[in-house]
Amino acid sequence: MALTFLFLSIMLLSTVCLVKAATRSFTVPSGEEITEILSLAVEDHVTIIFTVGGLTEGTVNFYMTFPNGTVKEFGRRASLDYRFICDLKGEYILHFSNEYSTQSVLVTLNYEIQRYIFGIPQTLFFTLIIAAVCVAAVTAFIIMGRQH
């Protein structure tokens, strides 16, 4: 029974870091560029949301560099809500460029990375495994407890 409890505890703790999410605020000085690197696996579901604040110019030039070198331009944006499913493993670089502005801007970035296994969210997958182990443990306990 203690072994089952230990196994269930390890499985539960391993599910804690399945979704990676972050919220950051940073200033992009005038004439500079700030980058954020996301390490992704195939089939990761990614959500990128950001908003830009500034005194008069509240925009930033945003683009992404994919692991294969492809660049996706989004242009000058005051905000963005972009979702995609990763089809290449590697580092995705988010570029926040303020090179053509005379003022610094404040960027608030939110992103979430949801991992998937066999087409289902990793959290649900591990929950199903834990449930199956619990059912197996209860069944074994009932069978072992029968008196013949």
Side-chain angles (χ1 to χ4, degrees):
M1 195 61 142
L3 184 60
T4 303
F5 178 74
L6 178 64
F7 178 73
L8 290 175
S9 298
I10 290 171
M11 289 297 292
L12 184 61
L13 290 175
S14 70
T15 63
V16 171
C17 297
L18 297 180
V19 175
K20 182 178 179 184
T23 299
R24 285 189 55 204
S25 291
F26 51 88
T27 301
V28 183
S30 173
E32 293 187 24
E33 178 177 289
I34 302 287
T35 60
E36 181 77 22
I37 298 173
L38 305 178
S39 295
L40 302 176
V42 175
E43 290 193 25
D44 282 354
H45 290 226
V46 183
T47 302
I48 299 170
I49 301 171
F50 73 81
T51 56
V52 180
L55 294 176
T56 57
E57 297 180 34
T59 62
V60 68
N61 187 30
F62 177 70
Y63 60 99
M64 287 178 58
T65 304
F66 294 85
N68 62 0
T70 304
V71 175
K72 180 167 182 158
E73 289 280 345
F74 292 88
R76 293 199 66 79
R77 306 294 295 250
S79 64
L80 177 78
D81 186 344
Y82 179 62
R83 299 162 197 271
F84 67 98
I85 299 173
C86 182
D87 58 357
L88 270 173
K89 180 181 178 178
E91 291 186 343
Y92 289 70
I93 305 171
L94 311 179
H95 300 266
F96 300 90
S97 176
N98 194 20
E99 293 178 356
Y100 303 109
S101 177
T102 58
Q103 296 179 348
S104 297
V105 292
L106 177 67
V107 176
T108 302
L109 170 67
N110 299 306
Y111 67 85
E112 179 180 314
I113 303 167
Q114 176 83 40
R115 306 256 186 234
Y116 276 65
I117 298 176
F118 303 123
I120 58 175
Q122 193 172 13
T123 307
L124 178 59
F125 180 78
F126 283 131
T127 302
L128 293 173
I129 289 176
I130 291 170
V133 168
C134 289
V135 168
V138 169
T139 303
F141 181 75
I142 290 171
I143 290 173
M144 290 172 43
R146 283 189 177 170
Q147 294 192 9
H148 299 283

